[in-house]
Amino acid sequence: MSTKEEKPTLAGVTVKTRKRNIVVPVDPGSFADAVVQIVQDASDGVSVEEDLEAATKALDTAELEFQRYGDTLFEVMFAGGRLATGGNLADDHGKKLDKNILACEPNRDAIAPYIKMFGTLARRRPFLIRGLENTLIKLLLSLEFFSDDNRRKLGIAMALVFSNKIAVVQENIFAALLNDRLVSKGTVLDVLTVFLQEFLAKDSMDDLVTNLTKGKVVNRLLDFFPPSKRNQEDFVQHFTAAKLTALVEWNAKREEEVKIDELQNAISDAIAADPPTPVAEVLALIKAKKAENDLPDTEVLRVMWMSLMKSINMTGKNQQQIMQSIKAKIKTYHKLLAAYATSAKLELSLLVTIQVLCYEDNRMLKLFSDIVRILYDGDIIGEDTIHHWYKKGSHPKGRNVFLKDIEPFIKWLEEAEEEEEGDD
């Protein structure tokens, strides 16, 4: 009968083994129970804010599998336990946290301590940001199952996450909101409106635009409206009623910029056509676009000038050659400019447009006074407008440079005027 051979041992040698903490939960249910217990043990009932600060410190030192169960952590803090489908709590007979976002009052002050907690946890463990993002997305996709108050809480929480610059991926959050089923019911618009109100309560319109841009929805706000209300009239009516005047004004300006870009592209295409589109047809095109989009004359005149300058190939040319090209372009399209430079105000706006462009394009920096002289000789800009611009109507950009540059021409105008008065 054979006996089992014993394995050799190394006497006096310590064999290292991998350490394991046997108390660490190894499933989401146990992890959720551990989080609930830690938060409850840290609470003394003085205030929610103090309780959450104490819980944050306790969680920071806890040996839990945060990297594996980050989603579960935020599900507990949002809803009191693990989430199942439809925004319901999982039926796992686990512990439940009484104090959570969906159980608090639907206002900023009640929800802010939780978001502050999330920010602290995310700074110490950046990988938790993904868990927060996933939980927000899961809740937003279940909006139809929540009450109006709970939807409001989610809108506020979303605004505070963005406002506190917790680095969730904005594109993923907004993509969850753009769910066709939820959008068609109007549910998404309600939550978005709360989000916008709460965000703009503390942050600027520029900050909001930055977040919308990162979320790739800055030009898609109408997509959050139900299909039957996807128009500018309903947009203005809805957000005006929600007291989001800044958003309405910003959108109106953006819409105008889109229309202005369309006009500039249309003019540029007409000028660049081979052969070039006749001036009369270009003028008719401009008038039609202006009427269609209700554009102000100042913008039409600015776009005209920018389109003309854009059509000039300045590459490799010296200033004299560029000036000759500008002179030829003004001569060809004199009627376009004259048709809209019909008042002192509009003439001044054209002068300022030219000044800013000459300042921003080094190739034209020393051509300003020559351009003004050509426009004066062509009766597009009057003497009084030039004097007004010189005395108090100039733009800050390059003001001192251009005022000094145009001094000889101003002096010539004054001398010519004196001679006319002497002749009289």
Side-chain angles (χ1 to χ4, degrees), residues 22-253:
I22 59 173
V23 299
V24 176
V26 292
D27 67 88
S30 299
F31 178 89
D33 288 345
V35 170
V36 171
Q37 191 65 54
I38 289 171
V39 175
Q40 289 177 339
D41 290 346
S43 301
D44 58 15
V46 176
S47 71
V48 173
E49 187 168 2
E50 290 183 10
D51 286 350
L52 291 177
E53 286 179 358
T56 302
K57 293 177 181 178
L59 287 169
D60 190 44
T61 58
E63 295 186 11
L64 298 177
E65 291 282 354
F66 289 104
Q67 193 149 11
R68 179 181 294 180
Y69 300 119
D71 294 22
T72 304
L73 168 65
F74 292 106
E75 288 175 10
V76 170
M77 300 312 301
F78 263 99
R82 291 173 57 223
L83 288 172
T85 56
N88 296 312
L89 291 178
D91 187 17
D92 56 4
H93 306 291
K95 298 178 180 179
K96 299 295 182 284
L97 186 65
D98 293 334
K99 293 180 180 179
N100 58 74
I101 289 178
L102 293 182
C104 72
E105 292 297 315
N107 60 63
R108 187 186 192 96
D109 290 340
I111 295 172
Y114 291 93
I115 307 305
K116 180 181 177 182
M117 175 191 192
F118 297 167
T120 302
L121 291 172
R123 282 193 298 274
R124 295 174 180 172
R125 292 184 171 94
F127 57 81
L128 285 176
I129 294 173
R130 184 60 182 273
L132 173 58
E133 181 182 310
N134 290 341
T135 302
L136 266 175
I137 290 172
K138 183 182 291 187
L139 290 165
L140 292 174
L141 290 174
S142 302
L143 285 177
E144 61 190 313
F145 301 107
F146 293 123
S147 65
D148 290 343
D149 275 354
N150 280 348
R151 291 172 189 167
R152 178 172 181 79
K153 293 170 193 176
L154 291 176
I156 295 172
M158 180 177 161
L160 293 177
V161 167
F162 283 28
S163 182
N164 283 273
K165 296 180 172 57
I166 302 175
V168 295
V169 180
Q170 291 95 326
E171 183 181 359
N172 294 340
I173 303 297
F174 284 117
L177 274 179
L178 283 172
N179 177 286
D180 290 342
R181 185 185 73 260
L182 298 176
V183 169
S184 64
K185 293 181 178 180
T187 308
V188 166
L189 182 58
D190 293 340
V191 173
L192 178 71
T193 302
V194 173
F195 162 77
L196 294 169
Q197 290 171 328
E198 293 298 326
F199 188 89
L200 289 174
K202 295 292 184 180
D203 295 85
S204 70
M205 192 64 215
D206 287 341
D207 292 329
L208 176 61
V209 171
T210 297
N211 279 284
L212 294 177
T213 302
K214 290 180 178 178
K216 297 186 179 179
V217 293
V218 71
N219 297 320
R220 299 184 60 194
L221 290 182
L222 277 178
D223 290 349
F224 292 96
F225 282 69
S228 61
K229 296 185 177 182
R230 212 163 280 175
N231 57 75
Q232 287 301 319
E233 184 178 348
D234 280 316
F235 182 98
V236 172
Q237 184 178 352
H238 175 82
F239 287 124
T240 299
K243 298 181 179 180
L244 288 167
T245 307
L247 177 67
V248 173
E249 292 174 350
W250 168 83
N251 185 67
K253 184 178 179 181

Side-chain angles (χ1 to χ4, degrees), residues 260-371:
I260 288 171
D261 286 343
E262 290 176 356
L263 174 61
Q264 183 164 343
N265 290 333
I267 296 174
S268 297
D269 290 344
I271 293 173
D274 188 15
T277 306
V279 176
E281 292 184 21
V282 178
L283 185 57
L285 169 69
I286 293 171
K287 288 182 177 179
K289 287 284 185 182
K290 178 185 181 303
E292 177 187 348
N293 297 316
D294 194 25
L295 298 174
D297 287 342
T298 51
E299 283 300 318
V300 173
L301 199 53
R302 183 184 68 82
V303 169
M304 252 188 233
W305 182 260
M306 299 299 289
S307 299
L308 291 176
M309 294 303 100
K310 185 180 177 181
S311 69
I312 298 173
N313 182 9
M314 300 184 187
T315 305
K317 293 183 178 179
N318 58 37
Q319 288 189 333
Q320 184 177 0
Q321 291 170 323
I322 293 174
M323 192 63 234
Q324 288 300 317
S325 297
I326 293 174
K327 185 175 182 180
K329 195 67 69 172
I330 292 174
K331 182 178 179 180
T332 302
Y333 293 97
H334 174 277
K335 289 184 178 180
L336 288 185
L337 298 170
Y340 282 92
T342 55
S343 68
K345 180 181 178 181
L346 291 168
E347 290 175 9
L348 181 61
S349 73
L350 177 58
L351 259 182
V352 170
T353 295
I354 296 168
Q355 175 193 341
V356 172
L357 181 59
C358 287
Y359 175 79
E360 294 177 346
D361 191 333
N362 289 333
R363 296 169 298 183
M364 300 176 65
L365 190 61
K366 296 182 179 181
L367 303 180
F368 177 73
S369 60
D370 292 331
I371 294 173

